[in-house]
């Protein structure tokens, strides 16, 4: 397992981080705990030390499921990252209550990596109004938080404002070889690096899509080690950036976890030829992409029953399919975009800033034409 120790972070942190946003669930939507326990056992035995969750993941059930899986292991053998739902906090007085609930759910007395979740310009106004910077200092002094950071899907200029407001120890951004210009993107990475703030990466596989590239598009990867998965190229591309401390992956199946462990145990440095191959695959995927949806489901549920990520996935998958028969086999989900009433609820929730209403119209038109 690769480890890095960067910036203010004194820990030796595994470069592969265990994400808890996409655990497998049963038909009633409950997390399958046995599966989580099995995955965490393998992750711990393989040297993964960074376990990431958020107050709101899995309708507020992710933290507990993660804690349950980590129960057999000494607290000092892993680090926990959890995210404060700034959007839910209604007053300064509520901050302690949120932190105490997070600690209780995680069954711990401290959170190693405490993040302000999904910072936006609007949420930053709240952060200032509720004096969250001073509060973070107090919680650090009390030993309830070790390091303070933020996650962000916003313009890179917000990073400047956040770093001027508080000496954050780390930051989490979305980055993968497809989304170098996605806000804050590579510019955000460079800004954080210049400020000596270590970076945690989310969505390295763009919701899993970079692990499932059609073979004909992934052709440039075939000249390298055949045992390497398509997902590994995304991780290897990211590992090439030295200020990336940890790359989160929401591994909900054992084969994904084992494949990722193999990638992060691989000592061979990424070559110039591999990076060129990544560029070729990116260019090809870009020409086929309909909508940059990662399948995060932040926009769900739609009050009118539209399966937004399912519709976008079908649209993108059909665009990537090579043969007509394959294309025809990919259909919209039953909860189709035609049900959209343009209520607008979903658009402000999308971290990719997708104009969902317009895109659903286009998706429906293209997917239903004969
Ligand atoms: S705008 Fe359309 S898709 Fe979005 S929540 Fe409203 S009805 Fe659902
Ligand atoms: S439309 Fe946006 S919020 Fe919804 S799943 Fe896709 S990326 Fe996530």
């Amino acid at each position: 397992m690769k480890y890095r120790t960067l910036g203010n972070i004194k820990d030796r942190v595994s470069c592969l981080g265990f994400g808890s946003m996409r655990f497998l669930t049963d038909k009633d939507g409950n997390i399958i705990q046995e599966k989580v326990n099995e995955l965490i056992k393998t992750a711990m035995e393989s040297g993964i030390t960074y376990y990431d969750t958020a107050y709101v993941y899995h309708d507020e059930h992710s933290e507990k499921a993660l804690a349950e899986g980590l129960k057999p292991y000494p607290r000092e053998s892993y680090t926990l990252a959890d995210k404060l739902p700034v959007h839910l906090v209604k007053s300064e007085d509520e901050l302690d209550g949120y932190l105490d609930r997070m600690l209780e759910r995680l069954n711990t007395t401290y959170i190693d990596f405490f993040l302000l979740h999904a910072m936006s310009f609007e949420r930053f106004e709240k952060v200032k109004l509720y004096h969250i910077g001073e509060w973070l200092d107090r919680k650090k002094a009390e030993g309830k938080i070790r390091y303070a950071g933020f996650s962000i899907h916003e313009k890179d200029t917000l990073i400047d404002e956040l770093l001027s407001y508080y000496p954050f120890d780390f930051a989490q951004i979305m980055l993968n070889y497809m989304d170098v210009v996605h806000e804050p993107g590579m510019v955000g990475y460079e800004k954080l690096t210049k400020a000596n703030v270590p970076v945690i990466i989310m969505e390295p596989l763009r919701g899993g899509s970079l692990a499932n590239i059609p073979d004909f598009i992934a052709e440039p990867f075939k000249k390298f080690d055949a045992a390497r998965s398509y997902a590994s190229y995304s991780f290897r591309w990211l590992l090439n950036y030295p200020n990336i401390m940890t790359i989160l992956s929401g591994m909900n199946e054992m084969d994904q976890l084992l494949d990722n462990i193999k990638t992060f145990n691989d000592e061979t440095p990424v070559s110039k030829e591999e990076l060129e191959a990544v560029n070729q695959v990116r260019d090809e995927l870009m020409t086929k992409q309909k909508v940059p949806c990662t399948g995060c489901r932040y926009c769900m549920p739609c009050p009118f029953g539209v399966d937004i990520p399912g519709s976008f996935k079908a649209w993108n998958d059909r665009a990537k399919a090579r043969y007509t028969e394959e294309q025809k086999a990919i259909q919209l989900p039953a909860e189709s975009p035609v049900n959209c009433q343009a209520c607008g609820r979903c658009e402000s929730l999308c971290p990719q800033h997708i104009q969902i209403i317009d895109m659903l119209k286009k998706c429906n038109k293209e997917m239903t034409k004969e």
Side-chain angles (χ1 to χ4, degrees), residues 22 207 291-302 305-317 331-333 335-337 345-346 350 354 356 360 363:
R22 292 187 169 112
V291 57
C293 173
T294 63
C296 69
R297 303 186 69 81
Y298 283 177
C299 54
M300 295 292 280
C302 157
V306 180
D307 178 354
I308 303 166
S311 303
F312 287 158
K313 182 173 185 312
W315 195 22
N316 277 334
D317 283 353
Q331 294 292 333
L332 285 172
E335 304 83 6
S336 97
R345 180 196 168 274
C346 54
C350 176
I354 296 170
I356 296 177
L360 282 174
C363 167

Side-chain angles (χ1 to χ4, degrees), residues 206-367:
R206 223 187 197 202
S209 64
L210 299 182
N212 294 301
I213 304 167
D215 289 338
F216 77 99
I217 295 179
E219 199 60 45
F221 293 152
K222 299 216 175 114
K223 56 181 172 285
F224 307 108
D225 183 350
R228 273 195 197 135
S229 63
Y230 298 155
S232 73
Y233 290 95
S234 201
F235 293 121
R236 288 170 66 72
W237 180 84
L238 284 163
L239 282 167
N240 204 32
Y241 293 92
N243 193 39
I244 290 178
M245 185 169 73
T246 294
I247 304 168
L248 297 174
S249 182
M251 300 162 283
N252 54 21
E253 289 289 2
M254 191 58 81
D255 58 346
Q256 296 165 351
L257 174 61
L258 294 175
D259 182 58
N260 290 352
I261 290 168
K262 193 170 125 208
T263 301
F264 284 79
N265 281 339
D266 187 348
E267 293 300 327
T268 332
V270 66
S271 65
K272 200 167 144 256
E273 290 73 27
E274 271 179 86
L275 294 176
E276 276 163 16
V278 165
N279 286 342
Q280 286 168 4
V281 172
R282 173 204 293 131
D283 291 349
E284 190 58 24
L285 283 171
M286 278 298 188
T287 63
K288 307 220 178 278
Q289 172 178 272
K290 291 291 181 180
V291 57
C293 173
T294 63
C296 69
R297 303 186 69 81
Y298 283 177
C299 54
M300 295 292 280
C302 157
F304 295 92
V306 180
D307 178 354
I308 303 166
S311 303
F312 287 158
K313 182 173 185 312
W315 195 22
N316 277 334
D317 283 353
R318 189 183 279 184
K320 280 187 286 183
R322 189 173 203 175
Y323 303 108
T324 317
E325 282 315 305
E326 247 182 283
Q327 289 166 358
K328 277 189 187 155
I330 300 168
Q331 294 292 333
L332 285 172
E335 304 83 6
S336 97
V338 78
N339 297 326
C340 175
Q341 302 296 312
C343 74
R345 180 196 168 274
C346 54
E347 291 201 344
S348 61
L349 300 172
C350 176
Q352 311 305 318
H353 310 293
I354 296 170
Q355 296 192 326
I356 296 177
I357 301 172
D358 282 352
M359 293 310 263
L360 282 174
K361 275 188 201 149
K362 285 186 191 152
C363 167
N364 192 55
K365 196 170 166 197
E366 283 190 26
M367 292 294 284

Side-chain angles (χ1 to χ4, degrees), residues 55-106:
Y55 188 94
V56 295
Y57 289 172
H58 278 288
D59 289 334
E60 303 189 14
H61 291 101
S62 165
E63 292 156 310
K64 273 197 170 165
L66 179 63
E68 184 61 30
L70 286 165
K71 218 179 197 172
Y73 306 98
R75 178 64 183 87
E76 62 282 5
S77 62
Y78 57 86
T79 56
L80 286 170
D82 201 357
K83 309 186 194 76
L84 177 77
V86 177
H87 60 295
L88 298 180
V89 181
K90 298 284 183 298
S91 77
E92 198 170 338
D93 296 341
E94 288 185 1
L95 291 166
D96 280 351
Y98 273 98
L99 176 56
D100 289 343
R101 272 194 297 286
M102 291 159 86
L103 292 168
E104 193 195 327
R105 291 174 182 179
L106 287 169

